[in-house]
Amino acid sequence: MHDIDATYMKLALNLAVRGAGWVSPNPMVGAVVVKEGQVVGRGYHRRAGAPHAEVEALRAAGQAARGADLYVTLEPCNHQGRTPPCTQAILGAGVRRVIIATLDPNPQVTGGGAEFLAARGLDVNVGLLAAEARRLNEAWFLYVKTGRPWVMAKAACSLDGKIATAGGESQWLTGEAARALGRRLRHRVDAIVVGIGTVLADDPQLTTRRPRGRGAGRDPIRIVLDSRLRLPLTARLLNLDSEAPTWVATTSQAPPETIRALKARGALVLVLPADAGRVSLPALLKELGTRQVQSLLVEGGAETLGAFFDQRLVNQFNFFYAPKILGGQLAPGMVGGHGIMHLGEAHITKNLRVRRVGGDLLVSGYL
């Protein structure tokens, strides 16, 4: 493989990103058709049920695809789903070479598309920019392998890690640029979760607050952890004009009449096992997985974030730091919960990244 191949694969990866927030439960995929050193077709998966990236790119190329090279970020499918197999479209287009970034992780599928094409005489290469391709669809890869969603923690705090003053004031710690980026994170995930304490204190919308429609913003499923169903029927989560549903995760402690009232307001009530009187988070993730929720954004408050960290359920984090110091022993910290007793038990982060977002700092990484 040559540097020029990597250039075309990077173009395919950049195309794939355009599907972020729209393609779930499918992965983001991009494709580029190249002939005699010229890009003659490009495409990406736009939404679930729409033509796959390879089909878009081949259609754009038309007759120029015959004898061309196809660069695709994920192994072409070789099975009938909501759309026909991409391998058939590739054969029909007369492509001579297929460069695949990474194989499909599904053990029932992996290698099938690549082997099918190679067995029919095409030159098939796998592994170019594989790490980048897997990172692009990290939530989907985890979901396919484990059946549970990718969990991303998000919080905004002061430089000394406080999410509010000792008097409870928290809006707005960070600037508009950081808040706008936070809302874009909501667009990219399937669901967002907060604890009932956050709802009672802030009555949040949990939306992208962006115009609807293609190219704007898609509101995620809004989930409230509420073991005793204290969610007011007047909460904006139940009354806001949004296409996104509201789900309430509760336990058997919930009064049946309140369950009926919430259902009447359009909420989906999930009665889950309890853990020390609260909703079991592993049970929640398992339930979300069965409902094809592949990515979950945990926004708070501190006790909800702490519970996810305590149980080591967080895969990725995005922490926004405002250039302010609040101080005060009574001012709540960013991550609550039980915490750890010994430094040897600390969560070890990796792939740390720090960047400025307006006047604030964003620290992101993995666990």
Side-chain angles (χ1 to χ4, degrees):
M1 305 297 283
H2 304 289
D3 289 344
I4 190 63
D5 289 314
T7 298
Y8 293 133
M9 187 61 79
K10 287 178 182 176
L11 175 57
L13 288 167
N14 289 336
L15 286 167
V17 173
R18 297 184 185 181
W22 300 108
V23 300
S24 185
N26 295 337
M28 293 173 278
V29 183
V32 174
V33 181
V34 179
K35 188 171 187 179
E36 298 176 355
Q38 298 294 321
V39 175
V40 294
R42 61 185 76 193
Y44 67 96
H45 190 38
R46 296 174 182 270
R47 67 180 186 280
H52 288 186
E54 303 95 312
V55 173
E56 274 210 350
L58 292 170
R59 286 177 179 173
Q63 289 301 314
R66 192 158 298 278
D69 298 339
L70 172 67
Y71 297 79
V72 60
T73 60
L74 184 69
E75 181 181 13
C77 62
N78 191 37
H79 60 279
Q80 177 72 45
R82 296 172 68 176
T83 59
C86 289
T87 50
Q88 294 294 341
I90 293 169
L91 285 178
V95 169
R96 72 175 182 93
R97 188 168 73 121
V98 181
I99 302 91
I100 302 167
T102 184
L103 296 178
D104 190 317
N106 188 331
Q108 296 179 335
V109 176
T110 187
E115 292 174 1
F116 178 89
L117 295 172
R120 282 151 183 81
L122 276 70
D123 182 5
V124 178
N125 296 274
V126 180
L128 179 63
L129 301 186
E132 291 88 338
R134 287 193 290 268
R135 176 62 56 83
L136 173 69
N137 283 304
E138 55 198 0
W140 182 75
F141 272 71
L142 178 72
Y143 177 78
V144 169
K145 292 179 179 179
T146 69
R148 79 163 181 86
W150 178 271
V151 176
M152 179 194 302
K154 170 187 165 289
C157 65
S158 62
L159 280 180
D160 55 338
K162 306 294 185 179
I163 61 173
T165 67
E169 185 179 351
S170 61
Q171 296 182 336
W172 293 101
L173 269 175
T174 55
E176 176 54 35
R179 298 198 298 272
L181 178 54
R183 293 192 290 269
R184 290 198 295 275
L185 289 176
R186 291 176 178 177
H187 163 76
R188 295 176 68 100
V189 298
D190 292 336
I192 178 174
V193 64
V194 296
I196 184 59
T198 294
V199 176
L200 295 176
D202 300 333
D203 196 16
Q205 301 177 48
L206 302 184
T207 66
T208 63
R209 303 180 198 173
R210 300 166 71 191
R212 293 180 189 157
R214 186 70 193 173
R218 180 191 58 82
D219 292 339
I221 300 165
R222 287 85 53 85
I223 302 173
V224 181
L225 297 176
D226 188 2
S227 59
R228 291 179 286 131
L229 284 193
R230 294 183 288 155
L231 180 65
L233 297 180
T234 56
R236 289 197 290 179
L237 288 174
L238 299 174
N239 294 276
L240 190 68
D241 182 21
S242 172
E243 296 176 357
T246 294
W247 295 359
V248 184
T250 190
T251 68
S252 58
Q253 302 175 68
E257 61 274 14
T258 309
I259 293 178
R260 290 191 293 269
L262 286 172
K263 289 181 177 180
R265 298 305 299 267
L268 174 66
V269 180
L270 305 174
V271 180
L272 300 172
D275 181 5
R278 297 184 175 184
V279 173
S280 166
L281 297 184
L284 171 67
L285 295 183
K286 182 178 179 180
E287 178 68 22
L288 295 182
T290 64
R291 295 176 181 273
Q292 292 193 309
V293 173
Q294 297 182 4
S295 52
L296 179 67
L297 183 64
V298 184
E299 285 209 8
E303 289 305 307
T304 296
L305 280 167
F308 275 90
F309 275 100
D310 281 346
Q311 298 181 52
R312 300 187 180 270
L313 298 173
V314 177
N315 300 106
Q316 182 183 8
F317 62 91
N318 287 277
F319 291 161
F320 294 88
Y321 288 86
K324 304 169 185 176
I325 296 177
L326 303 186
Q329 291 183 345
L330 297 180
M334 178 167 53
V335 179
H338 298 298
I340 61 169
M341 296 299 293
H342 307 286
L343 284 176
E345 301 169 348
H347 300 270
I348 305 301
T349 63
K350 59 182 180 180
N351 300 334
L352 276 180
R353 181 185 180 195
V354 181
R355 65 185 175 108
R356 294 187 69 92
V357 181
D360 305 304
L361 291 178
L362 170 61
V363 179
S364 57
Y366 294 83
L367 293 165

